[in-house]
């Protein structure tokens, strides 16, 4: 379909917080069915159950309905970097973000941090995106 573009992921540094963003297709909507929460223990890859090897002491799971093979067009599948490091942007708490799965209808990312701090989750338009802000 014309006008679609691949999903994009990025991280950012701001005064007092760091952010994780995933931009969705340009059809004027964000994905439905997402959840974000701190987890206990190590993050695991979807499907295999293998441990995700990432830096950081605390892990935020970002999971949303939108698996490439289930609900999006091939042109919209994510094919960008699957790891981002907070050190490259001078983040205050965010250590790493890593994709851990695109499995059974869900995409899972983990965002690691030095400390489990309060976070805020919201969606924005233009482009449609899910935003997770994590306090320093």
């Amino acid at each position: 379909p014309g006008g679609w573009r691949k999903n994009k992921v990025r991280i950012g540094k701001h005064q007092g917080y760091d952010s994780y963003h995933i931009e969705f297709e340009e059809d004027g909507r964000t994905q439905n069915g997402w959840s974000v929460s701190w987890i206990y223990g190590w993050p695991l890859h979807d499907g295999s159950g293998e441990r995700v090897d990432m830096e950081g002491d605390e892990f935020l799971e970002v999971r949303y309905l939108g698996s490439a093979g289930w609900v999006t067009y091939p042109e919209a599948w994510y094919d960008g970097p699957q790891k981002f490091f907070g050190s490259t942007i001078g983040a205050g708490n965010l250590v790493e973000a890593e994709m851990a799965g695109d499995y059974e209808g869900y995409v899972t990312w983990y965002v690691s941090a030095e400390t489990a701090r309060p976070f805020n989750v919201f969606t924005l338009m233009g482009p449609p995106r899910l935003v997770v802000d994590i306090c320093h």
Side-chain angles (χ1 to χ4, degrees):
W4 286 66
R5 65 153 165 71
K6 297 185 182 289
N7 295 334
K8 293 182 182 179
V9 172
R10 68 178 192 267
I11 58 173
K13 172 189 169 185
H14 307 277
Q15 186 172 348
Y17 65 96
D18 299 318
S19 62
Y20 163 87
H21 297 233
I22 183 159
E23 296 179 13
F24 298 108
E25 301 86 19
E26 291 182 7
D27 65 352
R29 64 182 173 83
T30 56
Q31 297 292 349
N32 292 319
W34 47 265
S35 66
V36 180
S37 62
W38 292 110
I39 63 165
Y40 297 100
W42 285 99
L44 303 175
H45 284 283
D46 292 347
S48 72
E50 296 288 324
R51 181 175 147 172
V52 177
D53 184 26
M54 56 189 311
E55 300 173 15
D57 296 321
E58 304 292 339
F59 304 96
L60 195 62
E61 181 183 70
V62 179
R63 198 160 192 251
Y64 63 92
L65 180 63
S67 175
W70 288 66
V71 298
T72 60
Y73 294 97
E75 294 84 0
W77 296 352
Y78 182 76
D79 71 348
Q82 295 194 1
K83 278 191 177 194
F84 295 85
F85 295 95
S87 61
T88 62
I89 60 166
N93 189 19
L94 188 150
V95 176
E96 187 177 341
E98 182 171 341
M99 186 177 185
D102 183 345
Y103 186 72
E104 293 188 346
Y106 287 88
V107 174
T108 304
W109 281 79
Y110 289 101
V111 179
S112 64
E114 293 175 4
T115 308
R117 300 275 186 194
F119 63 91
N120 190 25
V121 182
F122 54 97
T123 58
L124 294 171
M125 301 307 290
R129 60 199 180 277
L130 177 69
V131 179
V132 180
D133 290 338
I134 306 168
C135 293
H136 288 170

